[in-house]
Coordinates of all heavy atoms in Angstrom, one line a residue:
K1 N 57.6 100.6 75.0 CA 58.0 99.3 74.3 C 58.9 98.5 75.2 O 58.7 97.3 75.3 CB 58.7 99.7 73.0 CG 57.9 100.3 72.0 CD 58.7 100.8 70.8 CE 57.9 101.6 69.8 NZ 58.7 102.1 68.7
E2 N 59.9 99.1 75.9 CA 60.8 98.3 76.7 C 60.0 97.7 77.9 O 60.3 96.5 78.2 CB 61.9 99.2 77.2 CG 62.9 98.5 78.1 CD 64.0 99.4 78.6 OE1 64.0 100.6 78.4 OE2 64.9 98.8 79.4
Y3 N 59.1 98.4 78.5 CA 58.3 97.9 79.6 C 57.5 96.7 79.2 O 57.5 95.7 79.8 CB 57.4 99.0 80.1 CG 56.5 98.6 81.3 CD1 57.1 98.3 82.5 CD2 55.2 98.5 81.1 CE1 56.3 97.9 83.6 CE2 54.4 98.1 82.2 CZ 54.9 97.8 83.4 OH 54.1 97.4 84.4
F4 N 56.8 96.9 78.1 CA 56.0 95.8 77.6 C 56.8 94.6 77.1 O 56.4 93.4 77.4 CB 55.1 96.2 76.4 CG 54.0 97.2 76.8 CD1 53.4 98.1 75.9 CD2 53.5 97.2 78.1 CE1 52.4 98.9 76.3 CE2 52.4 98.1 78.5 CZ 51.9 98.9 77.6
L5 N 57.9 94.8 76.5 CA 58.8 93.7 76.1 C 59.3 92.9 77.4 O 59.3 91.7 77.4 CB 60.0 94.2 75.3 CG 61.1 93.2 75.0 CD1 60.5 92.0 74.2 CD2 62.2 93.9 74.1
N6 N 59.7 93.7 78.4 CA 60.1 93.0 79.6 C 58.9 92.2 80.2 O 59.2 91.1 80.8 CB 60.6 94.0 80.6 CG 62.0 94.5 80.3 OD1 62.8 93.8 79.6 ND2 62.3 95.7 80.7
L7 N 57.7 92.7 80.1 CA 56.6 91.9 80.6 C 56.3 90.7 79.8 O 55.9 89.6 80.4 CB 55.3 92.8 80.7 CG 55.3 93.8 81.8 CD1 54.1 94.7 81.7 CD2 55.3 93.1 83.2
V8 N 56.5 90.7 78.5 CA 56.4 89.4 77.8 C 57.3 88.4 78.3 O 57.0 87.2 78.4 CB 56.6 89.7 76.2 CG1 56.7 88.4 75.5 CG2 55.5 90.6 75.7
T9 N 58.5 88.8 78.6 CA 59.5 87.9 79.2 C 59.1 87.4 80.6 O 59.2 86.2 80.9 CB 60.9 88.5 79.3 OG1 61.2 89.0 78.0 CG2 62.0 87.6 79.8
T10 N 58.6 88.3 81.4 CA 58.2 88.0 82.8 C 56.9 87.2 82.9 O 56.8 86.3 83.7 CB 58.1 89.3 83.6 OG1 59.3 90.0 83.5 CG2 57.8 89.1 85.0
L11 N 55.9 87.7 82.2 CA 54.6 87.0 82.4 C 54.6 85.6 81.8 O 55.4 85.3 80.9 CB 53.5 87.9 81.7 CG 53.2 89.2 82.3 CD1 52.2 90.0 81.4 CD2 52.7 89.1 83.7
S12 N 53.7 84.8 82.3 CA 53.6 83.4 81.8 C 52.7 83.4 80.5 O 52.0 84.4 80.2 CB 53.0 82.5 82.8 OG 51.6 82.9 83.0
V13 N 52.7 82.3 79.8 CA 51.8 82.1 78.7 C 50.4 82.3 79.2 O 49.5 82.9 78.5 CB 52.1 80.8 78.0 CG1 51.0 80.4 77.0 CG2 53.4 80.8 77.3
L14 N 50.1 81.8 80.3 CA 48.7 81.9 80.9 C 48.3 83.3 81.0 O 47.1 83.6 80.6 CB 48.6 81.2 82.2 CG 47.3 81.2 83.0 CD1 46.2 80.6 82.1 CD2 47.4 80.5 84.3
H15 N 49.1 84.2 81.5 CA 48.8 85.6 81.6 C 48.4 86.2 80.2 O 47.4 86.9 80.1 CB 50.0 86.4 82.2 CG 50.3 86.2 83.6 ND1 51.3 85.4 84.0 CD2 49.7 86.7 84.7 CE1 51.4 85.4 85.3 NE2 50.4 86.2 85.8
I16 N 49.2 85.9 79.2 CA 49.0 86.4 77.9 C 47.7 85.8 77.3 O 46.9 86.5 76.7 CB 50.2 86.1 77.0 CG1 51.4 86.9 77.6 CG2 49.9 86.5 75.6 CD1 52.7 86.5 76.9
Q17 N 47.4 84.5 77.6 CA 46.2 83.9 77.1 C 45.0 84.6 77.7 O 44.0 84.8 77.0 CB 46.2 82.4 77.4 CG 47.1 81.6 76.5 CD 47.2 80.1 77.0 OE1 47.3 79.9 78.2 NE2 47.0 79.2 76.1
I18 N 45.0 84.8 79.0 CA 43.9 85.4 79.7 C 43.6 86.8 79.1 O 42.5 87.1 78.8 CB 44.1 85.5 81.2 CG1 44.1 84.1 81.8 CG2 43.1 86.4 81.9 CD1 44.6 84.1 83.3
L19 N 44.6 87.5 78.9 CA 44.5 88.9 78.4 C 44.0 88.9 77.0 O 43.1 89.7 76.6 CB 45.8 89.7 78.6 CG 45.7 91.2 78.5 CD1 44.7 91.7 79.5 CD2 47.1 91.8 78.7
K20 N 44.5 88.0 76.2 CA 44.1 88.0 74.8 C 42.6 87.5 74.7 O 41.9 88.1 73.9 CB 45.0 87.0 73.9 CG 46.3 87.6 73.5 CD 47.0 86.7 72.6 CE 48.3 87.4 72.1 NZ 48.9 86.7 71.0
F21 N 42.2 86.6 75.5 CA 40.8 86.1 75.5 C 39.9 87.3 76.0 O 38.9 87.5 75.3 CB 40.7 84.9 76.5 CG 39.3 84.5 76.7 CD1 38.4 84.2 75.7 CD2 38.8 84.4 78.0 CE1 37.1 83.8 75.9 CE2 37.5 84.0 78.3 CZ 36.6 83.7 77.2
M22 N 40.3 88.0 77.0 CA 39.5 89.1 77.5 C 39.4 90.3 76.5 O 38.4 90.9 76.4 CB 39.9 89.5 78.9 CG 39.7 88.4 79.9 SD 40.1 89.0 81.5 CE 38.9 90.2 81.8
A23 N 40.5 90.5 75.8 CA 40.6 91.7 74.9 C 39.8 91.4 73.6 O 39.2 92.3 73.1 CB 42.0 92.1 74.7
H24 N 40.0 90.2 73.1 CA 39.4 89.8 71.8 C 38.8 88.4 71.9 O 39.4 87.5 71.3 CB 40.5 89.9 70.7 CG 41.2 91.2 70.6 ND1 40.5 92.4 70.2 CD2 42.4 91.6 70.9 CE1 41.4 93.4 70.2 NE2 42.5 92.9 70.7

């Protein structure tokens, strides 16, 4: 949980968008 939370802070919106698009 801590690792993933830190990644939400670190990663850009673009990273999250790419991953969400690819996952679902």
Side-chain angles (χ1 to χ4, degrees):
K1 290 176 188 175
E2 182 180 0
Y3 179 68
F4 290 155
L5 175 56
N6 286 333
L7 283 175
V8 171
T9 304
T10 303
L11 295 175
S12 69
V13 168
L14 177 60
H15 289 104
I16 297 169
Q17 287 175 313
I18 290 170
L19 198 54
K20 282 188 174 192
F21 172 56
M22 292 184 68
H24 305 291

